[in-house]
Amino acid sequence: MDMRRPPRTVSDPKVRQVGFVTPSVAPPTRSLSDAPTTVAAAAAALSASSPPSGEISLPGSSLSPVMIPPPRHASSDGRPSAPVAVPNPASSLRRDSLRIRVGSYNASEVVLGTPPSASPSSRTDYTASEFSEEAMSPWHGRSGTAKVASSFPGSSSEMIVMKTGVVGGGGAGSTPKSPLTTASVVKTLPGISEKEREVLMGTQNDGAGASKTLKEKTTKAERRALQEAQRAAKAAAKEAGAGVKPSAASGSAVAANTKQGKVVKPPPQKKDGPQIAPPSGTSEKKVVDRPPEKDRKKDVPAPRMQFDDKHRVEKAKRRAVVNQFEAKNRVELFRHLPQYIHGTQLPDLEGKFFQLDPMHPSVYKVGLQYLSGKISGGNARCIAMLLAFREAIRDYSTPPEKALVRDLTAKISSFVSFLIECRPLSISMGNAIKFLKNRIAKLPDAMSESEAKSSLQSDIDRFISEKIVIADKVIIRHAVTKIRDGDVLLTYGLSSVVEMILVYAHEVGKQFRVVIVDSRPKLEGQVLLHRLVAKGLNCTYTHINAISYIMHEVTRVFLGAASVLSNGTVYSRVGTACVAMVANAFRVPVLICCEAYKFHERVQLDSICSNELGDPDAISKVSGRKDLNHLDNWADNENLQLLNLSYDATPSDYVSMIITDYGMLPPSSVPVIVREYRRENLWI
Amino acid sequence: MARMDFEVVVLAGGTSRKLNPLVSQEIPKALLPVANRPVLSYVLELLEASNLKDLIVVAEGEDAALRIGGWISGAYVDRLHVEVAAVPEGVGTAGALRAVASYLTANDVLIISGDLVTDVPPGAVAATHRRHSAVVTALLCPAPVSGPSDTGTSGGKEKAKKPVCCNIVGLDPTRQYLLHMATGAEVEKDIRVQKSILRAVGQIEIRADLMDAHMYAFKRSVLQDILDQKDKFHSIKQDILPYLIRTQLNSEVSDNGVVKSESGMDNISSQNDLRWLSQHREIAPSAFQEPHAFSLKSLPDARRTHKCCVYISSESKYCARLNSIQAYSDINRDVVGEASHLSGYSFSAQNNIIHPSAELGSKTTVGPQCMLAEGSKLGDKCSVKRSVIGRHCRIGSNVKIVNSIVMNHVTIEDGCSIQGSVVCSNVQLQERVVLKDCQVGAGYVVTTGSDHKSESLARK
């Protein structure tokens, strides 16, 4: 979720400037977290811009159109009566400070969930049991005025103190309004930060004695004036604050506000009086505005973890199950991808075998197998993961007081994050996880636990059979029609589907020859070669360096894929793009064999932003050639970085056809598959 | 469910003949003090640290079982859930397992010898076992260097420092699979490697510098089958392990097909599952992605195979078995010396442990890598070097103790000199006794002025 924040901070200021968002939205956190500084800043901003009369000063600091008018009027109304609590000397100054303090005060109040209008009254009532202890002390502090008032012209922090005093006093006298139902809201009080509380506590001592008398003096008019002033100042402070630093925290603050806003909404509406209407309006707007925005954010997929962001990497590490030691010299362009010192993770994870509590053994085993490279290949990894989840679901029992749907989803998520630590997910796995979670979420509430579990297990079985096993069979049938006698088929690396196609074509009696192109460091092609030769196929084996020579004789290229993206880009084992490009140059048709469950709606233009880094040692060492030791200890050389990419993206231009379980289609039709078949088949 | 689907069996043994006269009816091998703690505690604490708290301890002999059980219930109450089983003496490790096999339910069983002193996490062995879906995984550790450390000023001159060759191990080039294991008497004979295995792997690495640490992870079903079928099998190391290694290419073990190992616990796995799973294997290239050398092995399941894997601990880990008197003094020395983190004590600045209640006479020195337990008293002008002295010992003046182990309640009178020896509990050494490389059994009285070299003294 932390990944989502940056965009939010970026977008928030914009929204704010349009004037759509209530001023109370962003600054609260700021004024809460460090009230003095904000206020001071605001004070500075205001006093700089404001002419003596408060109302004129306000428009100067470009406020949101919606917000400003009511405060202006009100404040002008109330002003004459305000001085009661405050010494005369610097009315303009006082006004500013008033506003400012009020601003931050209001902000905190919003966080508290009390509507501005309601708060004074409840404040009055500070002895009322509705307020919790913590809540009380600040208010006590605020109600202290006398001394503070005298020290008024001093520093801004002093002003703050004074203001609070005034506010407190204002509420005290004669408010007929009942305390409302704020109690419940107050209890949710997390808003007041320690810091502020301290500040307020400090003030408490000063004014405790005098508070009563002052309270008595304030009239309703005063209070109203104060309120308006508060509102205006809050807006101003907020404005200033927004300029100073749009902090990441504002996002969370927004969320908090929205919540609180909802809670508070009813009371303000019930109230009467002109000055109350605007706030209720604002809070309403909060409620209305925010959720859609939230939803919007939900729709945007969370950006992948960027591993060049040190802060986040640190954070992620703390959560991580596997201790990860990052490799030192990483290639500049690929710093955002995770890369760890190879060989450190497995022993560490193995040592902790018995110490990870919530992990299901089979999930753990799959994780180990990912990490050690024992299971690789999109289908194999996906099946292994699903089977592990299946076992985990079978052994699952809902803990008391929890709902299966929620708890199991959380469990699966924790499994998934463990697996990600072992090795980044493939797209196929991502789709499978999405499917499973969707199934869990769609479980009817009435279903018993055992039924739910067995239904999920059969769902997983179905997914494996329909999306992988049967899909492969269909692909084979389709692909075989494209193989003619006398063909020379080229394949690259080791793709399970392509292997099955070749074997099947051989079994049905087609006469053809296979060219297996391979590449270091994995040399997966050798495995395929071994198996095909054992089955009696006629094979040629070569490395990718020779691709342009061997391509002359080739009539078809069959390639597997890790994923097919919606712009037709094929995401596959590194080297695939090269093969496809050469084939394209030689006018040899390139057929990609890929199950539809591996399709993804993402669009990717290069293989940089999303990829996986392998073990750099794998390319520096040549097995069987001990004399090639020039790259030993390469990690000690700061100027040397090795790049062992795992995947690359083949542009759709080089792809003649994609063979899926829904038939053979051109790469331009991938979005259709993604759109038409995803919803029906995966998610229902 | 057992943690991570593993159950733990600790084979505590009984009174080993090899360790005479140190062990007796009163002190079975498992309770032999190493740095003043029973050796079994090292295993139990290792397991506890790994969060394995449900254990089965098997002891040979009712007496031993009672004593071990009594000690465990005292020392580990509220910490571990231990069940102690007694088997008749002389049934061997296989027999001991046979006795408890019916209680085992988890998918895999971790079997640890009670005389192991190590800091290799058992989880690592278990994880390797799981990862490979192996039938058995053995922990191999670098063979310990035996003999007194060469810093020793005296003693053991003739015993050159040499690694004991206790096993001959054949590994595949990736050092993951166990292809050959010769133990005991076989070590001296010619090595016979099976041709079929050699052909399948292409290359075998034969090593003599690895020791079988007697920590195994077994697949429970396979273990039970073997124990049922082969009732002649006496020991894990001599019979079961070689049998599994020998037959790994041509598995006779009843139901340990790929399917089984993949599905884990399959009480409820229907026919349906098996179909999926087998298809999974068919699809997944991973089935064939073992080291290429092994690809022959994993060709169509005309022959059924199973895997015997190894986990080789790193050099930095300590690993030793208390299976001989030499090993006993070595381990004692190491636990207060180089592997001091195992002892669980905190060492003083002088790199030794002297209990506050111990009393030292004037001009008595206790060197580094020593341990002096509570209530022991040393007279004047004594010198203790690289030795462990137990509780409530009374040691007179002018006593020299070097490279030795003195257990509890030992009385050593003035002028004795003890080098490289083990003195058991309640022994009395009268004045001016000189012991060199001796073992003194419990309760023995060494008379005044006697001089013994490389002898084993015990009450008849």
Side-chain angles (χ1 to χ4, degrees), chain A residues 441-463:
Chain A
K442 291 243 172 90
L443 286 174
D445 288 338
M447 207 178 232
S448 76
E449 188 182 312
S450 59
E451 275 174 341
K453 276 159 65 179
S454 62
S455 114
L456 286 176
Q457 288 178 47
S458 66
D459 279 337
I460 291 177
D461 286 344
R462 200 162 50 84
F463 186 90

Side-chain angles (χ1 to χ4, degrees), chain A residues 12-262:
Chain A
D12 269 349
K14 268 183 212 157
V15 175
R16 225 177 278 138
Q17 266 157 7
V18 174
F20 223 72
V21 179
T22 58
S24 59
V25 164
T29 22
R30 326 193 55 258
S31 52
L32 277 182
S33 59
D34 48 3
T37 53
T38 334
V39 171
L46 270 184
S47 58
S49 65
S50 63
S53 71
E55 14 177 344
I56 305 166
S57 78
L58 283 169
S61 50
S62 67
L63 277 176
S64 62
V66 184
M67 276 312 297
I68 299 163
R72 242 189 265 158
H73 292 297
S75 68
S76 63
D77 282 336
R79 223 217 258 145
S81 54
V84 177
V86 185
N88 290 326
S91 74
S92 70
L93 220 187
R94 189 209 74 214
R95 194 102 275 269
D96 289 347
S97 62
L98 224 192
R99 237 174 274 131
I100 291 148
R101 173 51 206 162
V102 159
S104 66
Y105 153 71
N106 245 355
S108 67
E109 192 172 74
V110 169
V111 172
L112 279 178
T114 347
S117 56
S119 49
S121 57
S122 51
R123 232 176 280 137
T124 336
D125 197 61
Y126 61 88
T127 47
S129 58
E130 283 157 355
F131 272 96
S132 69
E133 283 301 300
E134 323 154 52
M136 262 166 97
S137 58
W139 299 135
H140 270 296
R142 286 184 182 184
S143 64
T145 30
K147 267 185 205 165
V148 180
S150 64
S151 70
F152 165 73
S155 71
S156 65
S157 66
E158 276 171 338
M159 292 180 205
I160 292 164
V161 171
M162 173 203 68
K163 249 40 202 182
T164 58
V166 171
V167 170
S174 56
T175 351
K177 292 166 199 159
S178 74
L180 289 178
T181 55
T182 42
S184 61
V185 181
V186 173
K187 273 173 200 150
T188 66
L189 185 90
I192 295 188
S193 71
E194 281 299 322
K195 211 171 178 185
E196 183 174 45
R197 202 175 292 155
E198 268 171 39
V199 171
L200 292 171
M201 291 294 227
T203 68
Q204 189 174 354
N205 300 335
D206 296 349
S211 58
K212 273 244 165 105
T213 51
L214 267 174
K215 260 179 233 154
E216 245 108 84
K217 278 176 200 163
T218 44
T219 66
K220 195 171 184 180
E222 274 173 44
R223 270 182 277 120
R224 184 183 294 176
L226 275 171
Q227 264 176 8
E228 300 313 326
Q230 286 163 16
R231 238 170 266 137
K234 181 173 68 178
K238 185 219 140 189
E239 186 64 26
V244 178
K245 56 163 186 179
S247 72
S250 71
S252 65
V254 169
N257 276 341
T258 346
K259 247 183 243 159
Q260 241 100 39
K262 268 179 211 157

Side-chain angles (χ1 to χ4, degrees), chain B residues 264-295:
Chain B
M265 35 267 143
D266 40 6
N267 307 334
I268 44 171
S269 66
S270 55
Q271 191 59 36
N272 200 17
D273 296 9
L274 303 183
R275 194 157 54 81
W276 293 136
L277 292 163
S278 53
Q279 271 166 344
H280 162 212
R281 304 302 297 194
E282 196 181 353
I283 292 167
S286 61
F288 304 86
Q289 284 202 339
E290 320 235 275
H292 295 306
F294 256 69
S295 43

Side-chain angles (χ1 to χ4, degrees), chain A residues 346 350-351 353-357 359-361 364-365 368-369 372-376 379-380 383-384 387 390-391 394-395 461 464-465 468-469 472-473 494 496 500 522-524 526-527 530-531 534, chain B residues 1 3-6 49-52 110 121-124 126-128 130-133 177 261-265 268 272-273 276-277 279-280 283-286 288-290 292 295-296 299 307 311:
Chain A
L346 186 59
E350 288 195 329
F353 186 68
F354 290 113
Q355 275 141 1
L356 298 173
D357 220 6
M359 208 57 66
H360 190 271
Y364 200 93
K365 175 177 164 183
L368 282 174
Q369 287 173 333
S372 62
K374 200 170 160 60
I375 292 185
S376 63
N379 284 343
I383 293 176
L387 289 178
R390 189 174 174 282
E391 273 176 32
R394 195 192 58 209
D395 296 343
D461 286 344
I464 294 176
S465 79
I468 305 177
V469 177
D472 279 345
K473 287 188 179 141
L494 171 62
S496 51
M500 285 188 278
K522 290 207 162 190
L523 297 178
E524 292 165 313
Q526 288 187 0
V527 180
H530 185 90
R531 282 187 247 163
Chain B
M1 197 175 75
R3 178 168 293 269
M4 293 312 273
D5 221 4
F6 261 94
S50 295
N51 235 339
L52 291 165
L110 193 67
T128 308
R130 250 321 138 62
R131 179 158 59 88
H132 290 291
S133 310
Y177 298 95
S261 59
E262 196 61 29
S263 66
M265 35 267 143
I268 44 171
N272 200 17
D273 296 9
W276 293 136
L277 292 163
Q279 271 166 344
H280 162 212
I283 292 167
S286 61
F288 304 86
Q289 284 202 339
E290 320 235 275
H292 295 306
S295 43
L296 261 182
L299 271 179
K307 291 183 205 158
Y311 177 82

Side-chain angles (χ1 to χ4, degrees), chain B residues 162-291:
Chain B
K162 53 154 200 220
V164 268
C165 174
C166 31
N167 296 114
I168 291 180
V169 178
L171 300 172
D172 78 304
T174 59
R175 295 181 188 170
Q176 291 178 326
Y177 298 95
L178 190 55
L179 306 174
H180 184 81
M181 168 87 91
T183 52
E186 290 176 52
V187 173
E188 305 298 326
K189 294 187 205 157
D190 296 343
I191 300 173
R192 291 171 180 276
V193 179
Q194 267 174 284
K195 208 193 266 175
S196 57
I197 290 183
L198 187 56
R199 198 183 316 124
V201 212
Q203 205 180 339
I204 291 191
E205 194 178 300
I206 302 278
R207 298 180 62 162
D209 60 340
L210 291 175
M211 182 189 82
D212 179 10
H214 282 221
M215 189 196 286
Y216 308 103
F218 275 100
K219 180 168 284 298
R220 195 244 324 152
S221 55
V222 171
L223 183 66
Q224 283 173 340
D225 285 339
I226 292 179
L227 290 174
D228 285 348
Q229 291 166 11
K230 316 274 177 185
D231 45 1
K232 292 265 167 48
F233 280 6
H234 183 76
S235 122
I236 297 177
K237 187 174 174 176
Q238 315 251 336
D239 299 316
I240 297 180
L241 194 58
Y243 169 76
L244 284 173
I245 293 171
R246 206 165 53 234
T247 58
Q248 60 183 321
L249 281 187
N250 196 2
S251 182
E252 297 163 18
V253 184
S254 59
D255 54 352
N256 91 91
V258 171
V259 172
K260 169 121 189 174
S261 59
E262 196 61 29
S263 66
M265 35 267 143
D266 40 6
N267 307 334
I268 44 171
S269 66
S270 55
Q271 191 59 36
N272 200 17
D273 296 9
L274 303 183
R275 194 157 54 81
W276 293 136
L277 292 163
S278 53
Q279 271 166 344
H280 162 212
R281 304 302 297 194
E282 196 181 353
I283 292 167
S286 61
F288 304 86
Q289 284 202 339
E290 320 235 275

